[in-house]
Amino acid sequence: LFDKDITFDKITLLIEQGAIIKTTQITDKLTFEKYQEHTNGESFPLFVVTGTDSIQPFCIDNSPSPQSGDYIIGLISPEDNSNILVTTESDTEINPNLPD
């Protein structure tokens, strides 16, 4: 379930270090690929909620392919939480202060 590198101990450690569970909408601007590019290996997508309101877990051998309009529920490290994703009422986008 989730990723080969994420164990119960890893989840516990990340939460103790300040990681949070965050929901991020995938859009035409913030594709799933961009979402993944801007994480530093210490953030993990856990579930995707699709436009049809189904919830699919990310699995090692069968991960969903989030599309525009879907939501990612992820465990976000303190570093990523503070500077990679900005959520606005109208859209979710990459923080403009980060290099592309």
Side-chain angles (χ1 to χ4, degrees), residues 52-98:
T52 60
D53 292 331
S54 71
I55 298 174
Q56 302 170 357
F58 282 85
C59 300
I60 294 169
D61 56 354
N62 189 20
S63 288
S65 298
Q67 304 298 312
S68 183
D70 293 347
Y71 290 86
I72 301 294
I73 300 171
L75 181 64
I76 307 298
S77 72
E79 296 83 18
D80 289 345
N81 182 44
S82 65
N83 67 3
I84 68 153
L85 301 175
V86 176
T87 303
T88 65
E89 288 183 17
S90 61
D91 202 1
T92 303
E93 57 194 53
I94 299 298
N95 185 330
N97 298 319
L98 290 177

Side-chain angles (χ1 to χ4, degrees), residues 4-23:
K4 65 179 172 46
D5 296 326
I6 190 160
T7 63
F8 179 79
D9 289 338
K10 178 77 169 185
I11 291 171
T12 301
L13 179 64
L14 287 170
I15 291 172
E16 287 173 354
Q17 294 174 341
I20 61 170
I21 303 293
K22 184 172 182 173
T23 302

